[in-house]
């Protein structure tokens, strides 16, 4: 979708740049009062004040949106989700409320394998129709780009199916969120490979990854690097094979124990290391030094009743921090951007300015899109949100409540349901 739009009388607030912002830079937002944003064929062609804006006669065919002083931000980028899956796991959630741990549930056949069994029975249309509901809700909360992972097939056919569904959704005219696809075949060890981890890695590396590449079904490859799942060395094998095929890398790192996943992400040049609840001081330093985006998922820590990742320390150590929801059917059945913002500010001690940067430009950098989206600048996509208020301080103040009045995708005003 590429539209022509002029937004007038806006309070424009945005980070600036074409790469992730680190450390103190994350709090530096540009603010323009009584501003104008011009979008031509979906691309921003002017950002500035009403006083400096000259609308040419040739632009009479542009739609005009007068936001009457409301705050306009870049569209949110949710850079870590698992929104393609079958079934739900509400019973397991009740077990966790009674004291069961995430890993204990996984060890007795629940967790990821529960969703794998359900997803393997789903048709293409089943997965597509269910996923569109999530994407519609994302749009309402201001998400204009989302990363989606496979990982609930753990066999060749179902993994490919999940990726194919995401590709078709990207072409659907009724979907207003761009989807960046990630292959997560190394999400868990399927039961048919119990005790044969190396054999499974070889299967993924030799029989599945090349097909994903040949069919251009994913841009990134991710792995669940965790004690009891895939070790540092096993993760290195998978990611090295993916890198050799030309994939970009991501990493589920140091979520449950301090294993060295952050250090591995830095070693391999991953675009992001995600979760990081137990990232070491050395891992944080390595990510800062190697420009790995630290993608933090506070909703998951909240749902699992775990300590939050050390976002404040990461920023103070010079890291680029992004925020994402981790929408998935197990550890975090929520895609709530409003609650993510509240948790970031209240519990992780990020300022609202840092939180905005984390959910826009740095989220874009985590999926290698910072040159195209994530800020309101000339030459970038016209992906924007209009808040209900003239200031952005309402974002954490309305705890868990949506403050997005209008979502704009490529210059197109998206009708709210």
């Amino acid at each position: 979708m590429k539209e022509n739009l002029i937004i007038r009388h806006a309070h424009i607030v945005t980070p600036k740049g074409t790469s992730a912002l680190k450390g103190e830079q994350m709090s530096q937002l540009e603010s323009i009062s009584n501003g104008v944003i011009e979008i031509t064929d979906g691309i921003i062609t002017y950002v500035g004040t009403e006083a400096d804006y000259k609308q040419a006669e040739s632009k009479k065919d542009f739609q005009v949106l007068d936001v009457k002083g409301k705050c306009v931000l870049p569209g949110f980028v949710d850079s870590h989700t698992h929104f393609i899956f079958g079934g739900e796991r509400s019973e397991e959630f009740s077990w966790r409320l009674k004291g069961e741990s995430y890993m204990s549930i996984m060890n007795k056949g629940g967790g990821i394998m529960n969703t794998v069994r359900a997803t393997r029975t789903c048709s293409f249309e089943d997965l597509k129709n269910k996923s569109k509901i999530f994407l519609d809700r994302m749009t309402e909360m201001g998400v204009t780009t989302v990363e989606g992972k496979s990982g609930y097939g753990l066999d060749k056919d179902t993994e490919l199916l999940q990726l194919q569904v995401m590709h078709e959704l990207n072409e659907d005219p009724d979907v207003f969120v761009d989807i960046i696809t990630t292959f997560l075949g190394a999400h868990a060890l399927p039961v048919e490979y119990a005790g044969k981890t190396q054999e499974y890695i070889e299967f993924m590396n030799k029989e599945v990854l090349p097909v994903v590449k040949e069919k251009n079904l994913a841009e990134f490859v991710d792995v669940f690097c965790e004690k009891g799942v895939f070790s540092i060395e096993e993760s290195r094998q998978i990611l090295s094979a993916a890198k050799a095929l030309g994939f970009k890398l991501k990493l589920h790192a140091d979520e449950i124990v301090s294993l060295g996943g952050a250090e591995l992400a830095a070693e391999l040049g991953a675009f992001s290391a995600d979760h990081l609840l137990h990232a070491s001081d050395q891992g944080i330093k390595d990510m800062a030094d190697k420009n790995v985006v630290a993608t933090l998922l506070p909703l998951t820590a909240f749902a699992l009743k775990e300590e939050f990742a050390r976002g404040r320390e990461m920023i103070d150590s010079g890291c680029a921090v992004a925020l994402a929801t981790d929408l998935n059917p197990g550890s975090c059945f929520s895609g709530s951007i409003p609650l993510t913002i509240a948790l970031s500010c209240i519990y992780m001690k990020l300022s609202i300015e840092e939180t905005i940067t984390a959910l826009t430009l740095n989220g874009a950098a985590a999926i290698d899109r910072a040159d195209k989206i994530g800020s309101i600048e000339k030459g970038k996509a016209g992906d924007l949100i209009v808040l209900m208020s003239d200031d952005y301080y309402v974002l954490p103040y309305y705890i868990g409540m949506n403050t997005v009045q209008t979502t704009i995708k490529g210059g197109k005003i998206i009708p709210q349901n």
Side-chain angles (χ1 to χ4, degrees), residues 10 37 55 75 100 120 134 136 233 256 304 354 391 405:
I37 304 167
Q55 182 180 347
E100 288 253 23
R120 287 180 177 181
F134 292 131
D136 287 345
E233 183 50 43
I256 298 168
L304 294 176
E354 291 166 336
D391 72 66
Q405 176 176 290

Side-chain angles (χ1 to χ4, degrees), residues 318-350:
C319 271
V321 168
L323 290 164
T325 65
D326 194 23
L327 169 63
N328 73 77
S331 61
C332 180
F333 200 3
S334 174
S336 176
I337 294 293
L339 188 53
T340 298
I341 292 170
L343 294 174
S344 170
C345 294
I346 297 170
Y347 290 103
M348 294 175 63
K349 301 179 183 178
L350 273 66

Side-chain angles (χ1 to χ4, degrees), residues 17-30:
T18 56
S19 60
L21 299 182
K22 302 169 69 175
E24 292 181 358
Q25 296 176 326
M26 286 185 62
S27 63
Q28 297 169 5
L29 303 181
E30 180 178 81

Side-chain angles (χ1 to χ4, degrees), residues 179-338:
I179 302 165
I180 310 303
T181 51
T182 295
F183 173 66
L184 182 57
H187 197 190
L189 190 67
V191 292
E192 58 267 30
Y193 280 90
K196 298 183 289 186
T197 302
Q198 190 58 44
E199 192 175 321
Y200 182 68
I201 290 170
E202 291 175 6
F203 165 69
M204 281 289 157
N205 286 353
K206 294 178 180 178
E207 296 190 37
V208 186
L209 268 178
V211 178
V212 174
K213 188 64 179 179
E214 178 188 353
K215 295 180 179 292
N216 194 30
L217 290 176
E219 183 174 342
F220 290 87
V221 169
D222 195 349
V223 59
F224 190 4
C225 178
E226 188 57 68
K227 182 179 179 181
V229 191
F230 293 96
S231 69
I232 291 291
E233 183 50 43
E234 290 161 353
S235 299
R236 184 184 284 110
Q237 286 182 54
I238 297 161
L239 294 172
S240 296
K243 190 172 184 178
L245 287 171
F247 288 102
K248 301 166 189 175
L249 307 183
K250 288 180 163 292
L251 195 63
H252 282 57
D254 302 319
E255 178 184 5
I256 298 168
V257 299
S258 183
L259 197 67
E263 291 90 330
L264 181 63
E267 172 196 324
L268 295 176
F271 275 79
S272 73
D274 302 15
H275 285 291
L276 301 169
L277 274 63
H278 299 280
S280 69
D281 292 343
Q282 185 62 50
I284 292 171
K285 180 181 183 302
D286 289 353
M287 288 190 295
D289 290 345
K290 298 294 186 179
N291 298 316
V292 177
V293 177
T295 300
L296 309 184
L297 312 169
L299 285 174
T300 308
F302 176 73
L304 294 176
K305 297 192 286 187
E306 297 286 348
E307 292 292 324
F308 290 90
R310 295 186 288 159
R312 176 77 270 140
E313 292 178 50
M314 291 177 187
I315 294 173
D316 293 343
S317 298
C319 271
V321 168
L323 290 164
T325 65
D326 194 23
L327 169 63
N328 73 77
S331 61
C332 180
F333 200 3
S334 174
S336 176
I337 294 293

